[in-house]
């Protein structure tokens, strides 16, 4: 399972990456560790985790293929039902049924267009009135192609969720260069997204507002109590299976900008060591903008199976396990992210 450094309010989890072990560790003759192309020797624990990841990816591919086949069969079933419904009708009855169906389809299309217009209006208004939220994409050189694709999918989730909000945030994507930029451009309709995209880093693009930059990182000692419209909150876009612990905090300190973490530990105790994905952090921020209540925001985004118990201000574990698998499976069954919008303005 991949993990993302949208870990704005949680402590880093135990590493899930390969660990380097000495070549001569007293193993019996003929007992060898698996070796990566780069020559790094994987420990037995790392090999097990790698095998588990590969099994999960294979299972996901099979599930996706099965869903695709099921969808094809459903389309074929509906087509046959339609043909059968027309077969027993007179020419006049058939014409009326076809006209009725075309009218219903036109009505749906008009409703969808109205919804799109509403979304565009809200997102454009957010440019001037909304909370600025930046997804920092400058870490693509630290990720492999699969991790980059995973992060791009999370960005899609962020945009979709923001579009559904009655009062959306103003989203920024900075550092959109190299393979990350190429992958983003492959998203259908990406060029029409109402979002700020910058090839430059946020520190360059927003240098005149540097004093208002706040990097959300679990390693910060400052707890985020309230969102300030004057502030620009930055989320680290890094799907790394926790190879680069503390990298966002170090980056913010080197740039001399503020940091903060979400107050998850103040409201709930988690059942295991966990981290947040980028889209989860964005969803929590959006929910807080709507409710001004952190507890409601956390409980609406964090799945119940991940919680141990709710607390007031106890010493709860403030870590949150990445759930890309669960989120990905849920979102795969929905329409394309860029098309999902609320039914009212």
């Amino acid at each position: 399972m991949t993990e993302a450094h949208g870990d704005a309010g949680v402590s880093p989890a135990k590493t899930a990456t390969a660990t380097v072990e000495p070549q001569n560790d007293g193993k019996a003759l003929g007992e060898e560790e698996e070796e990566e192309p780069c020559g790094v020797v994987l420990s037995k624990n790392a090999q097990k985790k790698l095998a588990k990841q590969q099994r999960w990816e294979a299972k996901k591919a099979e599930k996706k293929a099965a869903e695709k086949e099921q969808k094809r069969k459903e389309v074929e079933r509906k087509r046959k039902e339609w043909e059968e419904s027309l077969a027993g009708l007179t020419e006049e009855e058939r014409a009326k049924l076809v006209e009725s169906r075309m009218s219903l389809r036109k009505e749906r299309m008009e409703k969808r267009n109205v919804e799109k217009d509403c979304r565009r209006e809200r997102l454009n208004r957010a440019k001037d009135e909304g909370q600025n939220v930046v997804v920092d994409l400058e870490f693509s050189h630290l990720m492999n192609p699969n991790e980059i694709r995973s992060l791009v999918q999370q960005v899609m989730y962020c945009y979709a969720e923001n579009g559904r909000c009655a009062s959306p945030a103003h989203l920024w994507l900075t550092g959109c260069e190299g393979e990350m930029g190429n992958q983003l451009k492959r998203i259908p309709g990406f060029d029409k997204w109402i979002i700020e995209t910058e090839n430059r880093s946020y520190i360059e693009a927003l240098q005149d507002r540097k004093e208002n930059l706040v990097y959300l990182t679990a390693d910060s000692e400052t707890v985020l109590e309230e969102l300030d419209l004057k502030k620009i909150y930055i989320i680290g876009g890094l799907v790394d299976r926790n190879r680069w612990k503390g990298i966002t905090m170090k980056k913010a300190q080197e740039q001399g900008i503020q940091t903060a973490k979400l107050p998850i530990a103040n409201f709930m105790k988690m059942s295991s060591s966990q981290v947040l994905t980028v889209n989860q952090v964005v969803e929590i921020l959006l929910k807080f903008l709507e409710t001004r209540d952190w507890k409601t925001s956390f409980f609406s985004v964090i799945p119940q199976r991940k919680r141990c118990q709710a607390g007031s201000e106890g010493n709860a574990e403030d870590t949150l396990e990445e759930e890309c698998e669960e989120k990905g499976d849920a979102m795969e069954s929905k329409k394309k992210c860029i098309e999902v919008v609320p039914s009212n303005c």
Side-chain angles (χ1 to χ4, degrees), residues 34 47 49-59:
E34 184 176 340
Q47 290 180 42
K49 290 179 179 178
L50 179 61
K52 183 178 180 181
Q53 173 72 10
Q54 291 172 341
R55 289 195 300 271
W56 176 80
E57 290 176 352
K59 183 178 179 181

Side-chain angles (χ1 to χ4, degrees), residues 5 8 14 21 64 102 110 125 127 167 172 212 237 239 256 273 331:
H5 267 253
K14 294 182 180 179
E21 292 192 354
K64 189 173 182 180
M102 291 180 65
E110 289 176 349
R125 189 168 59 244
K127 288 183 177 181
S167 299
W172 293 66
N212 289 324
V239 178
S273 180
M331 293 299 289

Side-chain angles (χ1 to χ4, degrees), residues 50-197:
L50 179 61
K52 183 178 180 181
Q53 173 72 10
Q54 291 172 341
R55 289 195 300 271
W56 176 80
E57 290 176 352
K59 183 178 179 181
K60 185 177 180 181
E62 291 176 2
K63 184 177 180 180
K64 189 173 182 180
E67 289 175 348
K68 186 176 180 180
E69 177 62 17
Q70 182 63 31
K71 186 176 181 180
R72 186 193 66 77
K73 290 181 179 180
E74 183 66 13
V75 170
E76 181 66 17
R77 182 187 65 78
K78 290 182 177 180
R79 185 187 65 80
K80 289 182 178 180
E81 285 183 354
W82 171 249
E83 291 177 348
E84 290 172 359
S85 65
L86 293 177
L89 302 178
T90 64
E91 204 59 45
E92 183 179 355
E93 290 173 334
R94 187 178 303 174
K96 287 183 178 181
L97 186 58
V98 170
E99 183 181 354
S100 174
R101 183 166 181 172
M102 291 180 65
S103 177
L104 182 61
R105 181 175 297 176
K106 183 179 179 180
E107 182 180 333
R108 286 200 301 264
M109 289 298 295
E110 289 176 349
K111 182 179 180 181
R112 184 176 300 176
N113 289 333
V114 169
E115 292 171 346
K116 287 182 180 180
D117 290 340
C118 287
R119 183 185 68 168
R120 279 193 291 267
E121 181 183 343
R122 293 194 307 275
L123 292 176
N124 280 318
R125 189 168 59 244
K127 288 183 177 181
D128 300 319
E129 305 173 3
Q131 180 73 64
N132 286 281
V133 177
V134 175
V135 178
D136 174 16
L137 301 177
E138 291 186 83
F139 301 105
S140 60
H141 62 290
L142 301 177
M143 295 183 283
N144 62 44
N146 285 337
E147 290 168 342
I148 290 177
R149 285 191 290 270
S150 177
L151 180 56
V152 169
Q153 189 175 53
Q154 291 180 36
V155 170
M156 292 172 65
Y157 297 157
C158 292
Y159 186 71
E161 190 65 29
N162 196 44
R164 284 191 286 265
C165 292
S167 299
H170 183 37
L171 293 181
W172 293 66
L173 302 178
T174 61
C176 303
E177 292 187 305
E179 183 59 22
M180 176 61 65
N182 293 335
Q183 290 288 339
L184 288 171
K185 291 174 183 176
R186 292 174 187 170
I187 300 175
F190 178 73
D191 57 330
K192 297 179 182 178
W193 281 16
I194 303 175
I195 193 171
E196 298 288 347
T197 57

Side-chain angles (χ1 to χ4, degrees), residues 204-222:
E204 294 176 301
L206 299 165
Q207 56 183 332
D208 58 331
R209 302 169 67 182
K210 183 178 177 181
E211 69 279 4
N212 289 324
L213 298 178
V214 181
Y215 214 118
L216 299 180
T217 171
D219 299 304
S220 177
E221 295 182 358
T222 303

Side-chain angles (χ1 to χ4, degrees), residues 305-318:
R305 65 184 181 83
K306 301 289 186 180
R307 310 171 201 151
C308 182
Q309 65 183 42
S312 52
E313 305 238 348
N315 296 322
E317 294 179 18
D318 58 352

Side-chain angles (χ1 to χ4, degrees), residues 258-326:
Q258 303 172 63
T259 63
K261 64 180 177 181
L262 298 179
I264 295 178
N266 293 350
F267 300 97
M268 65 171 64
K269 183 175 181 180
M270 307 311 299
S271 59
S272 59
S273 180
Q274 306 165 11
V275 296
L276 286 169
T277 59
V278 172
N279 53 285
Q280 286 173 335
V281 179
V282 170
E283 287 181 42
I284 288 172
L285 295 180
L286 292 173
K287 195 66 177 178
F288 182 79
L289 288 172
E290 176 189 342
T291 64
R292 314 310 296 191
D293 186 304
W294 284 120
K295 185 174 181 179
T296 299
S297 303
F298 296 142
F299 274 73
S300 65
V301 176
I302 300 171
Q304 188 172 5
R305 65 184 181 83
K306 301 289 186 180
R307 310 171 201 151
C308 182
Q309 65 183 42
S312 52
E313 305 238 348
N315 296 322
E317 294 179 18
D318 58 352
T319 54
L320 190 70
E321 184 180 318
E322 183 279 325
E323 52 177 299
C324 272
E325 177 181 0
E326 178 180 286

